Amino acid sequence: MVTKGTEMSALRNPGTNPETSVSEFYNGKTVFITGGTGFMGKVLLEKLLRACSGVSKIYLLIRPKRGQDAQQRLQELLCSPLFDPLRKERPNDLGKVLPIQGDITQPELAISPSDRALLTRSVNIVFHSAATVKFDEKLKLSVTINMLGTQRLIELCKRMDNLECLVHVSTAYCNCDRSEVKEVVYPPPIGPDQITSLVDTLDEDLVDSLTTKLVGKRPNTYTFTKALAECWLKDNKGDFPLVIVRPSIVLSSINGPLQGWVDNWNGPTGNYGLCGSSARSIIAAAGKGLFRSMLCDPDKTADIVPVDMVINLMLVAAWRAGTTKSKELKIYNCCTGQRRPITWKKFIGLCFKYMRKNPLSEVTWYPDGTVTISRTLNTINRYLLQWLPAYIMDSVVCMVRIQDKLNKAATCLEYFTTQEWRFEDENVRQLVTTLSEADSAEFSFDVAKIDWENYIENYVLGIRKFIFKEDAATLPKARKQVSRLYWIYRIIQVISVMCLWHFFNA
Ligand SMILES: NC(=O)c1ccc[n+]([C@@H]2O[C@H](COP(=O)([O-])OP(=O)(O)OC[C@H]3O[C@@H](n4cnc5c(N)ncnc54)[C@H](OP(=O)(O)O)[C@@H]3O)[C@@H](O)[C@H]2O)c1
């Protein structure tokens, strides 16, 4: 979908380091990743191993979870289908990945003294992706993970002997209180240190009661604490190159090795409920015919970016900072709105189109739906098209509970689907020009080349394959079921119109 090379690469900047390609830069390097078990972290890990085969070691910070220690979680992670191609081609390379047990909410990241010594001695590049992406996380926890976690990581980075670059993953929406967002750090309404002392001294209930006031014009604790982290980083960065990458809404991969890859049900896409991944969970539910109406301005831009483009940008940004050794804080708004915009109407329309062409097996109802900017119409549609059928079906399956979760996820998204932002991406455009032709093919993040039709079809197929684990062989049967549902759907629509006509003319 993204053609090899770009016209832009012909205009390479004089500052380019032609003797070191991106993959060569990682030769012999030791990389430390936080958030490696998450949606984006997995793609980063896979790409590093596959495209930068000379990388020496990759340490992943992993917290113990659900009775599994870091080692067990790493083994499970490497069993993900994402690593299948690599496992076939270069199985030994998976041995370069080593777990570091820790937790960013704890002092010293809860990393053992021996592991800390190992990291400070050997790490060259750090990618900080760990965060809570729950929009409505309690403020205390959100501050602890997103801001204090970042602070703790920086303290560790400052002790690293050979650190060449730190890439911090933020979000384009951390400044969603302004309509135009440049690639600079804006001060939040309240400083990071004040917030730290507030959450340290006040008990959780009191912090909860103050949350709306504290987050100010931002819609949730997530965007607020990501902004605080950026602000703290700007004022306290160490003596090493620091890069902040700000993606907008991150969806499935656009290119190989697995086009359309999205996280599985155990990840953030699951449970129809985690707000940070609401877009992905809602689309999955729409494919089942469970989600049919959304409050959104159809003509506003849906700023969606493929996960592998974000990862490529991160890898290239580290290369650029590491090779130029520039100490200037660089920020990259990794977004599509300026150069390859797609409206919500087009995005949702294409999702439904391809969900009908490539339906899931066992759909609950014919996949179709509407978007509207009218809150009243949206409420009526939700009641008629989602809640009423859910109540009717609830004796068979827990539809009401699912609708309740979907409703929460959709509400979290409303702020973002009813407005649009202008994310300036001058630094990203410049970075594209520094790449050689070979590097821009391997590490493409030139969003101008995205073919949305093709991308969204693969996205829908990815949901089918990687989330619902459905084999392509089940497609013909699923298509037959959807075509039957289509006729039932149309008949019900005709009967409803006739009943309404009869009611108003009686
Ligand atoms: N996805 C998007 O649409 C999007 C958009 C813009 C920016 N971002 C940013 O991109 C980054 C990655 O997002 P994502 O979608 O990959 O999120 P994700 O799938 O929820 O992953 C979050 C990662 O953070 C880790 N983490 C959370 N709390 C931790 C703790 N206390 N100690 C250690 N690790 C912890 C998680 O580990 P566990 O596996 O142990 O939970 C997981 O690996 C985040 O910084 C996010 O703000 C994401």
Side-chain angles (χ1 to χ4, degrees):
M1 249 174 292
V2 175
T3 54
K4 289 206 161 197
T6 70
E7 319 95 64
M8 280 175 156
S9 60
L11 311 164
R12 292 176 73 189
N13 273 353
T16 311
N17 218 348
E19 67 279 9
T20 312
S21 71
V22 176
S23 70
E24 278 167 4
F25 168 70
Y26 288 92
N27 282 352
K29 298 274 159 73
T30 297
V31 178
F32 179 47
I33 300 177
T34 74
T37 52
F39 169 53
M40 287 172 50
K42 284 183 198 130
V43 180
L44 170 64
L45 177 63
E46 196 277 338
K47 181 78 189 211
L48 250 178
L49 286 168
R50 186 165 44 84
C52 308
S53 55
V55 71
S56 170
K57 280 194 183 64
I58 304 174
Y59 292 114
L60 294 193
L61 183 79
I62 304 182
R63 58 179 166 174
K65 206 171 172 181
R66 294 192 205 99
Q68 288 188 310
D69 65 18
Q71 180 65 46
Q72 289 163 321
R73 290 195 68 198
L74 175 64
Q75 289 319 313
E76 192 178 288
L77 180 136
L78 295 176
C79 289
S80 159
L82 185 63
F83 297 93
D84 284 351
L86 193 72
R87 200 174 304 108
K88 260 191 216 138
E89 286 161 31
R90 300 185 339 239
N92 291 341
D93 283 9
L94 296 178
K96 292 177 179 177
V97 189
L98 300 159
I100 297 285
Q101 185 147 314
D103 184 329
I104 60 167
T105 61
Q106 302 301 315
E108 297 285 2
L109 307 170
I111 300 176
S112 73
S114 58
D115 280 349
R116 280 205 307 273
L118 176 74
L119 294 175
T120 50
R121 224 177 28 241
S122 59
V123 169
N124 307 108
I125 299 148
V126 177
F127 292 98
H128 177 39
S129 175
T132 170
V133 298
K134 240 176 134 176
F135 283 5
D136 56 356
E137 188 71 85
K138 292 211 175 236
L139 183 60
K140 204 165 187 147
L141 186 55
S142 198
V143 167
T144 308
I145 297 178
N146 293 350
M147 198 189 78
L148 296 179
T150 304
Q151 290 183 2
R152 289 179 178 128
L153 179 75
I154 293 292
E155 295 315 325
L156 179 65
C157 288
K158 285 181 181 169
R159 300 201 297 269
M160 290 179 178
D161 299 328
N162 302 303
L163 186 61
E164 294 175 39
C165 178
L166 164 68
V167 177
H168 169 79
V169 188
S170 184
T171 162
Y173 295 101
C174 68
N175 297 299
C176 58
D177 53 327
R178 25 181 98 233
S179 55
E180 187 168 327
V181 181
K182 298 194 162 91
E183 288 165 310
V184 297
V185 174
Y186 296 98
I190 175 164
D193 294 337
Q194 285 164 287
I195 277 287
T196 311
S197 62
L198 269 180
V199 297
D200 273 354
T201 47
L202 303 181
D203 71 28
E204 181 141 10
D205 287 346
L206 204 48
V207 176
D208 287 349
S209 65
L210 291 172
T211 297
T212 316
K213 263 218 144 53
L214 290 171
V215 302
K217 288 188 188 156
R218 288 179 177 76
N220 51 48
T221 54
Y222 171 67
T223 50
F224 177 61
T225 53
K226 292 297 272 189
L228 287 174
E230 279 197 2
C231 185
W232 188 88
L233 274 173
K234 178 174 173 265
D235 295 338
N236 298 277
K237 70 187 257 347
D239 191 29
F240 46 80
L242 170 66
V243 165
I244 296 180
V245 174
R246 289 183 184 148
S248 46
I249 302 170
V250 185
L251 295 186
S252 64
S253 55
I254 190 165
N255 285 316
L258 297 182
Q259 273 188 354
W261 188 81
V262 277
D263 221 344
N264 59 41
W265 273 129
N266 302 321
T269 317
N271 302 329
Y272 293 128
L274 294 180
C275 290
S277 52
S278 303
R280 281 175 275 151
S281 28
I282 281 175
I283 298 297
K288 281 275 179 194
L290 295 171
F291 192 81
R292 314 183 72 79
S293 180
M294 180 146 176
L295 186 76
C296 118
D297 188 332
D299 301 320
K300 295 264 194 282
T301 301
D303 209 307
I304 284 156
V305 60
V307 61
D308 45 345
M309 285 197 161
V310 183
I311 298 307
N312 287 342
L313 172 57
M314 286 163 57
L315 290 168
V316 171
W319 160 80
R320 182 72 184 160
T323 49
T324 59
K325 301 194 181 358
S326 164
K327 301 275 168 67
E328 179 202 354
L329 168 62
K330 268 275 180 216
I331 299 178
Y332 297 97
N333 283 344
C334 185
C335 306
T336 50
Q338 294 308 302
R339 279 183 299 150
R340 198 76 184 114
I342 179 168
T343 60
W344 283 105
K345 184 177 174 183
K346 179 114 197 261
F347 172 67
I348 291 170
L350 286 175
C351 284
F352 276 120
K353 174 178 165 185
Y354 288 112
M355 282 183 305
R356 289 189 291 260
K357 184 178 166 199
N358 308 297
L360 295 165
S361 303
E362 314 290 334
V363 294
T364 312
W365 190 222
Y366 182 70
D368 198 7
T370 57
V371 291
T372 170
I373 190 61
S374 157
R375 211 166 268 279
T376 318
L377 198 58
N378 185 50
T379 309
I380 295 171
N381 282 341
R382 284 259 177 92
Y383 273 99
L384 282 179
L385 306 174
Q386 291 180 203
W387 286 106
L388 184 64
Y391 273 104
I392 294 170
M393 294 172 74
D394 208 39
S395 50
V396 191
V397 266
C398 305
M399 282 298 162
V400 172
R401 201 168 50 85
I402 290 174
Q403 282 304 329
D404 194 39
K405 287 187 168 183
L406 281 174
N407 200 38
K408 281 192 191 126
T411 308
C412 282
L413 272 186
E414 281 173 7
Y415 179 89
F416 302 94
T417 55
T418 53
Q419 305 182 65
E420 69 184 0
W421 288 262
R422 188 186 147 75
F423 299 114
E424 267 192 17
D425 58 357
E426 202 40 52
N427 288 345
V428 177
R429 290 174 203 234
Q430 269 179 21
L431 192 63
V432 172
T433 68
T434 64
L435 287 173
S436 68
E437 208 163 298
D439 276 345
S440 47
E442 180 63 74
F443 298 94
S444 170
F445 54 90
D446 191 352
V447 296
K449 299 277 166 64
I450 297 174
D451 171 349
W452 285 119
E453 280 262 354
N454 202 340
Y455 175 69
I456 291 169
E457 177 156 25
N458 281 323
Y459 171 49
V460 167
L461 285 166
I463 289 177
R464 197 175 192 282
K465 185 168 175 188
F466 302 114
I467 294 183
F468 289 96
K469 313 250 181 280
E470 293 188 7
D471 196 280
T474 60
L475 263 174
K477 194 173 164 207
R479 284 185 183 131
K480 267 191 197 147
Q481 191 203 5
V482 162
S483 116
R484 264 197 310 275
L485 284 174
Y486 170 77
W487 288 110
I488 300 172
Y489 178 61
R490 284 284 176 244
I491 290 166
I492 290 177
Q493 279 182 329
V494 171
I495 293 173
S496 307
V497 170
M498 284 165 66
C499 288
L500 278 175
W501 187 84
H502 184 74
F503 177 78
F504 285 113
N505 289 286

